[in-house]
Amino acid sequence: MACFTLDDREIPFEPGETVIQAAARAGIEIPHYCWHPGLSVAGNCRMCLVELLPPPGRAPVTLNVVRWDAGRREYVEEQKPKLVPACNQRVSDGMVVKSDTSPHVQRARRAVQELLLLNHPVDCPICDQAGECRLQDYWLEHQARPKRMLDEIIHRPKAVRFGPHIVYDAERCILCTRCVRVSAELARDPVLSVRERGNLNEIVVSPGRQLDHPYSLMTELVCPVGALTAQDFRFKARVWFLRSAPTICQGCGTGCNAFLDFDPRTDTAYRHRPRHNPAVNGHFMCDEGMLSYRRVHEDRILRGVLKGEAADLAQVVAAAAKRLAKARERRGLAGLLSMQHSQEDNLATLTLGRALGVKAWFVSGKAAGEGDAILRHPDKNPNRAGVAALCPEAGPVEALATALEAGEFEDLLALGSDLPDVILERPFGKPRLRVVLASHDGPLARAATVLLPASTWAEAEGTFVNARGLAQVSERAIRPRGDSLPAWRLVAMLADALGVELGWRGGRDLRRLLAGVGAGEPGGIAADGAGDVG
Amino acid sequence: MEPLEPPIDETESRPPSAPMLLNLGPSHPAMHGTVRIVVELSGERILRADVQVGYLHRGFEKMCERGTWAQCFPYVDRCNYVSPMLNNVGFALACEKLLGVEVPERCRWYRVALGELARIADHLTCNAAMAMELGAFTPYLWLVRARDLIWDVFEEECGARVTHSFGRVGGMAHPPTAEFAAHAAAVVPFVLRVVDEVARLLLGNRIFLDRLQGVGRMSAADAISLGWTGPALRACGVPYDVRKAHPYLGYDELDFDVPVGSVGDCYDRFTVRLEEIRQSARIVDQALARLPASGPVSIDDPRVVLPPKSAVYDTIEATIQHFKIVMEGLKLPAGEVYSYTEGANGELGFYLVSDGSGTPYRVRIRPPAFLVTSGLERVITGEMIADVVPCFGSLNMIGGECDR
């Protein structure tokens, strides 16, 4: 493989790669603000300037500059090499690049950093970006000098509402145009642009428009400083208190790889953000998916319900087991799986239902929604393909409604609580018993005779198969809230109480049974596992 | 009614010879520290002794592994709460050794002066307590009054009398106050006068001398093999002092003597401490003379030292600097270091391991008191039960650093 030299290190590169890309692949970070691996090259921040040594026998390109000589107290003329932006410089074989080892580069970075902070407000204590801010990191790494400017800084608009999700602070903005490019290139809705020049330079929304495309939160994510903040995350948490768990987005059939940022002290989820996976979502996610984490805390069922009254888990499990034992004798039990739940939960329910002699299986899920050709899938269920592979014979929930109306089943064992609106409008039959394992309030949960509180995806490790048949594992972030437990554990408790053998003892057994079900490729956790904001 | 004393069998010619087990401590009026000593007595003679430490274990070293390097200072304060300034300086020097930096001259002499004042305070406390435990209460009050004046100096400098948390990596929390040199120079002669008076009171006192001389002897070879350092080792006649053997902070430029004892008994340990107070006073004088009136007290490295508060409130650069050092902690380069200084009771060592993050990977303290206390068993074996008090007092076990 062809190589080039970066700071006395031989680095291989693919044809067409830029210096910054090849270095990043070799694990070397060249400091940058405007360059983002998922966006086009803008080359405007000048932070990634590197020194390119001329080919042997050729004179270097130099610039005439003046430098202040403190000793002589006058400006002296001198020459310095013309530096090039590493983000826009294609690598060629044998090229010699100096980055950290070049005093000219160090000086350029220092100057860029000083200029970026020239009019920056003293906002770190109230800025959501503090703790993950490039300006902070690079100041310490590349400038580390106090302010020299004595004048009052230039003040610009603060807390400008760009749209339903995004608030803009022009004082903090470094005009890297990442947000402009996300809108134009990812969302294909060029609603943001740069206005004016010099001190008045700022990002604006097109007249008559709002920043309301389905990828507006991505503008905040790629913002390397605190200029764009998310309405949802604003002033909610300080990032150094948060921990991240690699998860799979539950918003639709795409199954974007994500990080769930949560506070381990209070077991509260605060933010969902994309995790780089070139095979699924690249660097990005949609607004709907980013905000889907809120379901972890909204409309939750945290206690078991028995005949409309909240009850202890042990009591509820015992009651459910007693009733299921009777239902088993009546031989009129229908089973309902859920495309909103993990493979583990569905497989557990399936084994229990089979042990109890379920006559027919059905599957519920959310109604189809909006989709696009970028990331959003019209199917709003994260595990449709998985359930289909586990139980190909499962009928749609409409068929269950018809069968219940016709009185085909006397009892129902259900996982999940989502039903499409079309079912809600129909009379839902009168089964004698409905044992429901659900994490969220919904029509089925409210109709349950016995309701068992199940955990959400954030509270348990689970496998989800996306629309393309890729099985991906979502890891546990927070501990189960309230009395809730992963649905498969509730099933195991029911099986123990009923005295039936399911053929598995725990989560590891379930995962072994699941291996190879409906999955072309395993895994899905990005190898580096690192948060990626470019 | 039962007789108060069992009737003595007159035919028995010898006293009962079965040894008696006696438990002293962990909380005992004659113990200055929480330690348990189980002695096996024949009459009043100690046949065997079992010294049990650890009652004050608070897990300092483990606690250091949370937080940042700077957050260790309050912990090391509480290791030796009799001379915390010396611990502050010792820990700061260890971090600086790992960083590979040297503090400015003003900081060096400031640290020397403060450290020697702390050493004087420590020795005053030790000798005062020892005299009091032997019944001499007046010297205790006099010496502790002198210590209070030293604490006044500390209070002026850092606001705290006992646990200062005044050291910083790369400097001190504040530069010396304008009055520091004059204040310290006024206090030291007073302290020396009190020390002389106390010496006259005690060292001509037959009872006091009989309680100390020849009691609790330790040979130089045994002391070295036990890892003794500091006044306890020097009382055995070994002139080892880290300040002389491995000078730091410019001790090699200063003129002072290392007092040694001859037989390593309680008397030698008492008098070595008295003399060290006089030597420390000499050092304080010299350090004050060398202390520049102006100049930086901390190194000039924004990665290590906090910016001035006024700049933090006004400029984004200083805000970022403050944020990085406080929230992420200053980062010591990955690696390990052993740094040692002369604490009040001997070699105070810090073994630090850094993984390059802002949080210590491991902090190990080599407390002088732990190794000195390990010799207590040998010191009191063969002595009378009443000798435990001066022996234990003269070893000056500091529970905080011994048990950590």
Side-chain angles (χ1 to χ4, degrees):
Chain A
M1 199 179 206
C3 282
F4 76 110
T5 309
L6 177 66
D7 286 343
D8 309 320
R9 231 184 101 178
E10 287 285 303
I11 292 174
F13 67 94
E14 308 274 358
E17 264 184 333
T18 56
V19 173
I20 207 167
Q21 283 173 327
R25 224 159 29 79
I28 302 169
E29 201 219 71
I30 295 177
H32 59 274
Y33 287 104
C34 71
W35 179 74
H36 186 284
L39 299 172
S40 67
V41 171
N44 62 31
C45 76
R46 314 312 280 176
M47 194 63 187
C48 70
L49 290 180
V50 289
E51 186 178 346
L52 211 59
L53 296 193
R58 293 258 295 277
V61 181
T62 56
L63 301 171
N64 295 323
V65 292
V66 286
R67 181 177 59 81
W68 174 253
D69 190 322
R72 287 161 56 187
R73 298 198 59 75
E74 61 177 339
Y75 286 101
V76 291
E77 288 195 4
E78 65 176 23
Q79 292 203 311
K80 76 171 187 75
K82 181 164 166 41
L83 306 177
V84 295
C87 65
N88 207 19
Q89 176 64 47
R90 297 220 183 280
V91 191
S92 62
D93 203 7
M95 188 184 260
V96 182
V97 181
K98 288 173 87 176
S99 165
D100 292 342
T101 53
S102 163
H104 298 290
V105 169
Q106 285 172 4
R107 215 171 133 214
R109 285 176 188 164
R110 205 154 66 222
V112 167
Q113 184 65 29
E114 185 170 16
L115 280 169
L116 289 179
L117 288 178
L118 203 62
N119 287 316
H120 196 91
V122 186
D123 268 3
C124 298
I126 54 153
C127 179
D128 285 307
Q129 192 82 10
E132 49 181 16
C133 179
R134 284 282 168 85
L135 285 171
Q136 292 182 328
D137 298 346
Y138 288 168
W139 179 83
L140 199 69
E141 283 167 42
H142 303 297
Q143 188 190 5
R145 277 162 177 73
K147 198 175 209 70
R148 291 193 289 167
M149 187 178 78
L150 303 173
D151 300 340
E152 175 71 17
I153 64 166
I154 303 293
H155 291 288
R156 287 190 287 170
K158 287 182 91 72
V160 182
R161 289 210 62 145
F162 266 13
H165 299 312
I166 298 294
V167 179
Y168 175 65
D169 185 319
E171 288 192 327
R172 298 178 191 158
C173 183
I174 61 165
L175 277 309
C176 69
T177 70
R178 276 185 178 189
C179 52
V180 175
R181 282 173 285 150
V182 159
S183 292
E185 295 164 20
L186 171 73
R188 288 162 213 162
D189 179 13
V191 66
L192 294 182
S193 54
V194 187
R195 188 178 76 96
E196 278 285 2
R197 288 289 179 268
N199 284 339
L200 300 175
N201 218 190
E202 61 174 320
I203 305 286
V204 287
V205 189
S206 301
R209 276 294 310 275
Q210 277 200 319
L211 178 57
D212 55 2
H213 58 67
Y215 297 87
S216 67
L217 281 169
M218 280 303 100
T219 59
E220 187 273 335
L221 182 94
V222 298
C223 183
V225 299
L228 295 177
T229 45
Q231 191 67 48
D232 179 62
F233 188 64
R234 224 166 130 79
F235 309 133
K236 291 279 167 50
R238 307 261 41 179
V239 292
W240 53 87
F241 291 129
L242 303 183
R243 300 289 174 271
S244 305
T247 53
I248 302 299
C249 178
Q250 305 290 303
C252 72
T254 307
C256 290
N257 290 210
F259 281 113
L260 184 67
D261 294 343
F262 61 99
D263 191 330
R265 301 168 303 175
T266 56
D267 278 325
T268 310
Y270 280 100
R271 187 168 67 170
H272 214 191
R273 60 189 167 92
R275 177 161 51 98
H276 181 219
N277 188 342
V280 181
N281 56 317
H283 295 276
F284 303 111
M285 266 169 82
C286 68
D287 288 0
E288 208 181 309
M290 296 258 296
L291 296 176
S292 67
Y293 82 89
R294 292 196 287 208
R295 287 278 286 165
V296 173
H297 299 294
E298 283 170 1
D299 300 334
R300 282 296 304 279
I301 292 163
L302 297 175
R303 296 207 60 192
V305 179
L306 189 57
K307 290 187 241 163
E309 298 283 328
D312 286 341
L313 190 60
Q315 231 179 323
V316 178
V317 169
K322 207 172 102 195
R323 286 169 168 78
L324 281 173
K326 285 195 186 129
R328 187 185 189 177
E329 287 158 20
R330 285 198 288 269
R331 295 177 177 281
L333 185 61
L336 182 62
L337 300 173
S338 171
M339 297 186 286
Q340 287 285 325
H341 275 261
S342 69
Q343 288 286 77
E344 284 82 350
D345 293 353
N346 278 300
L347 178 61
T349 313
L350 202 59
T351 51
L352 178 67
R354 283 180 182 149
L356 295 176
V358 161
K359 276 167 75 184
W361 287 100
F362 302 90
V363 56
S364 74
K366 278 195 177 139
E370 217 177 312
D372 60 28
I374 306 167
L375 286 173
R376 296 186 302 156
H377 199 280
D379 177 15
K380 297 302 169 193
N381 296 297
N383 199 23
R384 177 187 293 274
V387 179
L390 280 178
C391 185
E393 72 273 20
V397 74
E398 289 85 350
L400 173 66
T402 312
L404 286 172
E405 270 176 78
E408 277 182 43
F409 305 108
E410 289 184 74
D411 307 295
L412 176 65
L413 169 67
L415 174 67
S417 57
D418 296 288
L419 289 177
D421 294 346
V422 58
I423 304 290
L424 291 179
E425 290 157 13
R426 294 165 66 170
F428 197 76
K430 283 275 177 276
R432 269 196 243 177
L433 166 68
R434 300 163 197 193
V435 174
V436 180
L437 296 81
S439 52
H440 293 93
D441 198 16
L444 261 180
R446 281 191 290 273
T449 320
V450 185
L451 177 63
L452 291 98
S455 301
T456 59
W457 52 278
E459 298 153 285
E461 189 174 314
T463 312
F464 296 87
V465 183
N466 74 0
R468 282 168 42 206
L470 188 68
Q472 306 185 100
V473 175
S474 179
E475 288 184 21
R476 180 180 77 88
I478 58 178
R479 284 166 293 193
R481 301 184 62 232
D483 281 352
S484 73
L485 284 174
W488 62 263
R489 282 193 60 186
L490 294 172
V491 167
M493 288 164 77
L494 283 175
D496 276 351
L498 281 161
V500 297
E501 187 57 52
L502 298 180
W504 52 271
R505 294 298 311 164
R508 197 174 301 166
D509 284 353
L510 274 176
R511 251 153 251 140
R512 204 174 301 129
L513 290 175
L514 280 172
V517 173
E521 311 157 55
I525 307 268
D528 55 6
D532 190 53
V533 291
Chain B
M1 202 172 140
E2 250 181 281
L4 205 60
E5 289 177 355
I8 298 167
D9 184 357
E10 299 288 340
T11 57
E12 182 69 67
S13 57
R14 290 179 298 144
S17 60
M20 183 178 82
L21 273 183
L22 183 68
N23 177 50
L24 301 172
S27 286
H28 191 277
M31 293 278 145
H32 73 231
T34 310
V35 62
R36 183 179 184 216
I37 306 175
V38 182
V39 288
E40 197 179 303
L41 296 171
S42 168
E44 285 193 62
R45 183 75 56 195
I46 296 169
L47 297 180
R48 285 195 303 161
D50 182 12
V51 179
Q52 297 168 7
V53 298
Y55 289 95
L56 273 183
H57 175 67
R58 284 167 285 180
F60 282 137
E61 294 169 348
K62 199 67 192 167
M63 284 196 283
C64 290
E65 294 168 20
R66 295 189 62 114
T68 63
W69 290 102
Q71 285 175 330
C72 295
F73 280 104
Y75 295 142
V76 300
D77 257 353
R78 284 148 182 80
C79 279
N80 185 343
Y81 31 73
V82 191
S83 52
M85 196 62 87
L86 284 166
N87 290 34
N88 268 222
V89 171
F91 182 73
L93 283 171
C95 293
E96 286 154 15
K97 191 171 179 181
L98 193 52
L99 263 174
V101 296
E102 293 249 341
V103 290
E105 197 192 358
R106 191 160 180 228
C107 181
R108 275 201 297 143
W109 298 123
Y110 192 36
R111 283 180 176 179
V112 169
L114 288 175
E116 293 306 321
L117 285 172
R119 190 186 316 279
I120 293 174
D122 193 295
H123 288 351
L124 288 174
T125 314
C126 174
N127 280 355
M130 198 170 152
M132 179 191 66
E133 283 156 4
L134 294 176
F137 208 84
T138 305
Y140 174 81
L141 294 175
W142 285 24
L143 290 173
V144 166
R145 167 135 191 264
R147 181 182 75 172
D148 246 22
L149 295 180
I150 292 176
W151 282 4
D152 284 345
V153 177
F154 287 140
E155 191 179 8
E156 279 295 308
E157 293 308 299
C158 62
R161 295 175 74 78
V162 182
T163 43
H164 314 301
S165 302
F166 195 48
R168 294 289 183 275
V169 180
M172 299 301 267
H174 298 285
T177 57
E179 297 78 28
F180 171 63
H183 193 172
V187 163
V188 168
F190 179 86
V191 171
L192 291 182
R193 211 161 62 238
V194 171
V195 167
D196 286 342
E197 277 179 85
V198 167
R200 278 205 304 282
L201 269 176
L202 289 175
L203 297 182
N205 184 319
R206 187 72 258 159
I207 300 170
F208 190 71
L209 294 181
D210 283 349
R211 293 298 306 272
L212 299 189
Q213 283 177 335
V215 171
R217 288 172 66 153
M218 171 65 82
S219 72
D222 283 354
I224 290 172
S225 67
L226 279 166
W228 277 23
T229 49
L233 174 68
R234 291 192 283 273
C236 305
V238 183
Y240 175 76
D241 187 316
V242 179
R243 292 173 294 174
K244 285 279 188 198
H246 309 281
Y248 54 94
L249 286 177
Y251 272 108
D252 46 342
E253 299 170 34
L254 301 176
D255 184 23
F256 66 99
D257 299 321
V258 176
V260 293
S262 50
V263 292
D265 58 2
C266 290
Y267 177 80
D268 279 350
R269 290 191 279 272
F270 185 84
T271 48
V272 161
R273 281 202 173 85
L274 275 189
E275 184 53 31
E276 281 192 13
I277 292 175
R278 298 190 181 103
Q279 295 301 327
S280 288
R282 286 176 68 194
I283 299 175
V284 171
D285 284 347
Q286 297 172 55
L288 292 178
R290 285 168 163 80
L291 182 69
S294 60
V297 80
S298 296
I299 58 168
D300 180 24
D301 187 341
R303 291 168 182 83
V304 178
V305 177
L306 284 175
K309 271 287 179 297
S310 56
V312 174
Y313 295 140
D314 287 347
T315 66
I316 184 65
E317 286 85 352
T319 305
I320 292 175
Q321 180 181 353
H322 180 96
F323 179 90
K324 285 295 226 185
I325 292 178
V326 172
M327 298 316 302
E328 292 174 13
L330 61 99
K331 295 187 172 61
L332 297 189
E336 56 181 33
V337 73
Y338 179 68
S339 166
Y340 46 103
T341 55
E342 183 72 23
N345 291 307
E347 178 177 323
L348 171 69
F350 287 100
Y351 172 64
L352 310 179
V353 183
S354 169
D355 57 2
S357 72
T359 302
Y361 183 80
R362 177 82 167 96
V363 173
R364 168 85 168 94
I365 303 168
R366 182 227 187 261
F370 181 71
L371 292 122
V372 171
T373 308
S374 69
L376 178 62
E377 180 187 327
R378 193 170 306 183
V379 166
I380 59 174
T381 303
E383 303 290 357
M384 308 286 273
I385 180 74
D387 294 332
V388 170
V389 174
C391 289
F392 187 61
S394 70
L395 294 188
N396 199 20
M397 172 193 156
I398 304 292
E401 69 174 23
C402 179
D403 301 347
R404 279 159 289 149

